[in-house]
Amino acid sequence: MPDQNATQRPFIRDGKPAEDRWLLVRDAEAELPAATPAIVPLARWQALEGSAELAPWLASDTELTPELAKQLAAAPLIAIDFPKFTDGRGYSLARLLRERYGFDGEIRAIGDVLIDQAFFLTRCGFNALSLREDQWLEDALNALNTFSCAYQPAVDVSEPLFRQRMREVVKRAEPALA
């Protein structure tokens, strides 16, 4: 059955409010809408592969093999489900898709997605967030800028902060050494 609340969910793409034209279909057996692009369970997408109007959603326990990643490269977008906000496996899936398998398309967080997760989701490679219905869009946009910098390397910044600072120190010292 299509997710009736999908159109009511606050939606962010690339750090900005956006219109979500994709319908989330949770039920693998549900009838698909005729004129609307749909995000369907992975197995259904694999069975109907080839349609630009269908995209897969991955359960948080999906094993991301090289073969699956190769199939997913053709997807117009990949949605990763968070069945509970405490389930962090989706972060790993997004990071693997970006870093190991080089997926450069839209990776969307769906399910129990809270504003508290927004900053960390984007650091792991998500560029679209379909927030839970009770979350406020303005708060989520502010949460994307919770921290001005991060110490750890991630998908968004591959170099740790200490290396960035060391490079700046060396750059400032170069004119004095010449």
Side-chain angles (χ1 to χ4, degrees):
M1 174 172 206
D3 186 347
Q4 300 301 327
N5 295 322
T7 57
Q8 298 171 359
R9 290 175 175 264
F11 184 67
I12 298 171
R13 181 182 297 115
D14 298 325
K16 299 177 184 124
E19 184 179 333
D20 185 6
R21 65 182 196 93
W22 290 82
L23 180 68
L24 178 60
V25 178
R26 291 278 184 183
D27 183 1
E29 303 300 319
E31 189 171 328
L32 296 177
T36 306
I39 301 170
V40 298
L42 175 61
R44 184 144 188 209
W45 178 79
Q46 287 172 319
L48 301 170
E49 191 175 4
S51 171
E53 296 296 308
L54 292 179
W57 65 263
L58 309 180
S60 60
D61 63 351
T62 301
E63 182 181 350
L64 192 56
T65 63
E67 295 79 23
L68 177 56
K70 191 174 181 178
Q71 284 181 325
L72 292 171
L77 70 89
I78 299 170
I80 298 175
D81 188 37
F82 286 81
K84 296 180 182 178
F85 74 90
T86 56
D87 186 343
R89 295 174 290 180
Y91 292 94
S92 299
L93 285 171
R95 191 151 185 189
L96 285 169
L97 282 165
R98 292 280 189 223
E99 293 181 334
R100 185 178 293 174
Y101 299 111
F103 186 79
D104 61 358
E106 180 178 317
I107 299 180
R108 178 184 296 208
I110 61 170
D112 197 18
V113 180
L114 307 178
I115 61 169
D116 301 7
Q117 299 167 286
F119 177 77
F120 302 106
L121 288 165
T122 58
R123 295 224 59 222
C124 290
F126 288 93
N127 62 329
L129 310 173
S130 180
L131 301 164
R132 201 169 71 185
E133 302 87 12
D134 64 344
Q135 302 297 287
W136 292 86
L137 183 62
E138 296 78 20
D139 291 342
L141 293 168
N142 289 334
L144 291 174
N145 300 309
T146 298
F147 303 101
S148 59
C149 62
Y151 291 105
Q152 308 84 356
V155 170
D156 60 345
V157 179
S158 61
E159 188 175 49
L161 185 61
F162 78 90
R163 284 210 179 110
Q164 295 172 40
R165 288 189 174 162
M166 283 180 66
R167 190 176 52 256
E168 291 169 9
V169 168
V170 169
K171 195 175 195 178
R172 283 193 303 260
E174 283 175 357
L177 297 175

